[in-house]
Amino acid sequence: MADAPSAPTASSGVASAEWLAGGSGGADRLAQLLPAALRGMAAGTAERGGPVPAGGPAAVAATLARTQSADGLPRHGVGAEQALEELSALLAAGSADPADPACAAHLHCPPLAVSVAADVVAAALNPSMDSWDQAPVASEIEREFTTGIARLCYPDAARPDAVITSGGTESNLLGLLLARESAVTRPVCGANSHHSVARAAWLLGLPAPVVVPCVDDRMVPSALAEALAPLGAQAVVVATAGTTNTGRIDPLPEIAEICRRTGARLHVDAAYGGLALCSETLRSRVAGLELADSVALDLHKFGWQPVAAGVFAARGETDLQALTVRAEYLNADDDTEAGLPDLLGRSLRTSRRPDAFRMAVTLRALGVSGIGALVERCCANASGVHVLVEDHPALRSWGAPELSTVVFRPVAADELPGTAGDDLVAQVRRTLLEGGTAVIGRGALPTGPDGEAQLWLKLTLLHPHTTPADYRALLDAVAAVAADLRTSVTRESPVAS
Ligand SMILES: Cc1ncc(COP(=O)(O)O)c(C=O)c1O
C-alpha cells in the first residue's frame, strides 16, 4: 500500500499535488488537514465561551490586528496545518454562533453536521453546475432534489419545477423576473414583505411595488382586492409565508382567490415558513402555497443548511424557460441535440456551487419527516418562550408566535415618553451584543398609539435542540438591562420618570 501523503507545509511548495483536495489521494489529504481545522475550531469556540465575542466591533478588530500581519496579504505562507488551525481558531472565537441558544436574532440557523460534512466533499470535487461536463452526476442529484421540492410545493400540479438559488433574495428576484416575462408590469406586496421584493422591482426596472396595508403583520385581503382593481392581470402579488419581523403567514387561500379573480400572478415568499410543508401537523399553516405561480423557499432557515440553500419553485415548468440562454462553450445547440443536458438555463448565475448536494444528503439522512420534526420543535419552543414572556412582569409580548419568532418589549420602554422607549429597546439589544451575552433581533411594528412604528425585540428560534427553559435567563437579562437603562435615563432626565 502506498504511504499516505504528508500534510502540505510551507516547504512542500504550491506546485505539489499535496495541495489538491480532489483526485487520487484527495480524501487522505483532507483527512490529514481537517483535524488541524477542527482543533482550531474547538479551541476558538472554547475561547469565546458564549454566543458572540464580547466587546463589539472594536474588540474584534483589535484581536485581528494582534494576530494578523498589518501589511495586508501575507508575502509567504506558513503551511496548511498552521494556517488552518490559527485561522479556524480566530474564526470560531470571533463568530456569532447560531449553535448557541442565545444567538437568536435572525433567520440564521445552526447547520446540521451531516450537511457540513457533505459540503466538504462537494467543495473537494468542486462540480460547477453550469454545464454537464463539469457536473455529470451532481446535475442529476440536483434535478432529483429540485423535482422533489417542486412536488412538495405543488403536489397536484402536472409539471412543477424548481431551481436552486442563493436564497430568498434571488428567489424573489426570479419571482418578479418570471412575472415580468409573462407581461406583468406592476408588483404588489404587503407592508410586511421583505426588502428584497422592492429591490428586485428596482433591479428589473419595474415601478416600485404598490404596498398593501397589514394588520397583525398579515396582508389585509380587502385592501389587496382594492389595490388590484385597477391593475388586474398586469400585477404580480408577492405574499409572505413567514414574515421577517414576526413570522406571520399571510392569508394565502384568500389572497390566491383574489389573484385568480383578478388575473394577477402570485408569488409567495415562503423563505422562512415554506419548510413547514415537511410537517404533517404544521403544513396546514401554509395551505394555499400550492395555489401560487411561484414560491421562494430557504433551506438555510428551516432546513438547517449552511448558507446558501435557496430554492425557487414554479407551478409550471414552462415559466422557467424564461431563463434559457445559449453560450457556445457551455450548451451549444449540437451538444444539447446530442443529449448533453442543458444546465445553463437553470440559474441566473453561471459558475455555481453544488449546494443541492448537501441538501440532498440531509434529506436522505433525515427524510422529509425528520426535517418536519425539527420545524415542529422550533415552533413548539417559540410557543413555550412566548408563555415565559407573558408571565414575565418586566416584559410585554407582541403576540403568540405563528412559526418560531417571539416578539416582545421591555415594559420599561413603555414608561418612557416619545422616542426614548425605542432608544431603550435599541440599547438593550446593543448592550447584550457588546457584552457577548446574547444576539437578539429587532423589528419595527406599527403598534404606537396612532399606528406609528415602535421598536420591538425578537428571538428567532431556529435551534431545534433547545427548550423554553434555555431562554429564561436570557429574558431575565433583557429585563435587567432594560431596568438599568431606565434608571440611568431617569437620572439624566427626571422628566422621563
Ligand atoms: C421573508 C424573507 N424573505 C426573503 C429573505 C431573504 O433571504 P436571503 O437572506 O436568503 O436572501 C428573508 C431573510 O431573512 C426573509 O426573512
Side-chain angles (χ1 to χ4, degrees), residues 34-360:
L34 280 173
L38 301 179
R39 258 194 322 274
M41 181 177 146
T45 304
E47 185 188 327
R48 174 172 22 87
V52 66
V60 171
T63 308
L64 196 64
R66 269 200 308 281
T67 49
Q68 295 286 92
S69 114
D71 345 317
L73 300 179
R75 180 88 185 91
H76 299 291
V78 295
E81 284 183 297
Q82 189 182 335
L84 275 166
E85 188 160 351
E86 280 178 8
L87 285 189
S88 301
L90 189 68
L91 184 66
S95 280
D97 185 355
D100 187 305
C103 183
H106 302 287
L107 286 157
H108 174 208
C109 72
L112 292 166
V114 64
S115 177
V116 174
D119 213 25
V120 171
V121 177
L125 295 166
N126 204 23
S128 183
M129 307 305 290
D130 44 328
S131 64
W132 190 88
D133 57 1
Q134 299 175 87
V137 78
S139 59
E140 291 301 320
I141 292 171
E142 178 177 294
R143 259 289 183 197
E144 200 175 282
F145 175 73
T146 52
T147 302
I149 293 281
R151 294 236 170 83
L152 185 71
C153 294
Y154 296 109
D156 300 323
R159 302 186 85 80
D161 199 359
V163 293
I164 301 295
T165 68
S166 57
T169 301
E170 187 184 335
S171 296
N172 288 339
L173 176 65
L174 280 180
L176 261 57
L177 172 66
L178 300 198
R180 191 194 65 182
E181 293 305 292
S182 67
V184 160
T185 54
R186 194 73 205 246
V188 175
C189 64
N192 58 358
S193 67
H194 190 257
H195 69 264
S196 58
V197 176
R199 211 156 193 234
W202 167 75
L203 262 171
L204 293 167
L206 292 167
V210 174
V211 177
V212 177
C214 291
V215 169
D216 196 28
D217 206 33
R218 289 190 191 92
M219 199 193 286
V220 176
S222 59
L224 174 65
E226 217 172 287
L228 288 182
L231 298 172
Q234 293 162 33
V236 55
V237 174
V238 181
T240 310
T243 65
T244 315
N245 273 345
T246 69
R248 284 285 185 263
I249 297 167
D250 280 340
L252 301 178
E254 283 167 89
I255 290 172
E257 173 53 22
I258 294 166
C259 290
R260 193 196 58 75
R261 257 195 342 256
T262 54
R265 249 181 99 92
L266 176 59
H267 170 73
V268 176
D269 175 355
Y272 179 8
L275 269 282
L277 285 171
C278 295
S279 155
E280 292 298 324
T281 54
L282 296 176
R283 62 180 322 160
S284 59
R285 295 194 190 173
V286 290
L289 206 62
E290 72 286 357
L291 302 171
D293 295 286
S294 58
V295 174
L297 298 167
D298 271 0
L299 278 80
H300 55 237
K301 298 183 168 65
F302 284 151
W304 295 277
Q305 300 296 304
V307 174
V311 185
F312 173 81
R315 180 143 40 87
E317 62 174 3
T318 49
D319 272 4
L320 287 163
Q321 283 168 8
L323 298 179
T324 301
V325 61
R326 284 271 155 223
E328 175 60 28
Y329 76 111
L330 291 172
N331 62 348
D333 284 334
D334 55 301
D335 272 351
T336 307
E337 279 156 28
L340 290 182
D342 173 2
L343 308 187
L344 196 56
R346 308 241 356 123
S347 178
L348 288 172
R349 291 173 281 166
T350 305
S351 297
R352 187 160 62 79
R353 286 172 47 89
D355 295 323
F357 177 68
R358 56 184 155 74
M359 298 190 240

Side-chain angles (χ1 to χ4, degrees), residues 191-192 213-218 245-246 396 398 443-456:
N192 58 358
C214 291
V215 169
D216 196 28
D217 206 33
R218 289 190 191 92
N245 273 345
T246 69
R396 176 163 75 93
W398 175 80
L445 291 160
T447 48
D450 298 312
E452 70 272 19
Q454 278 188 316
L455 202 56
W456 291 77

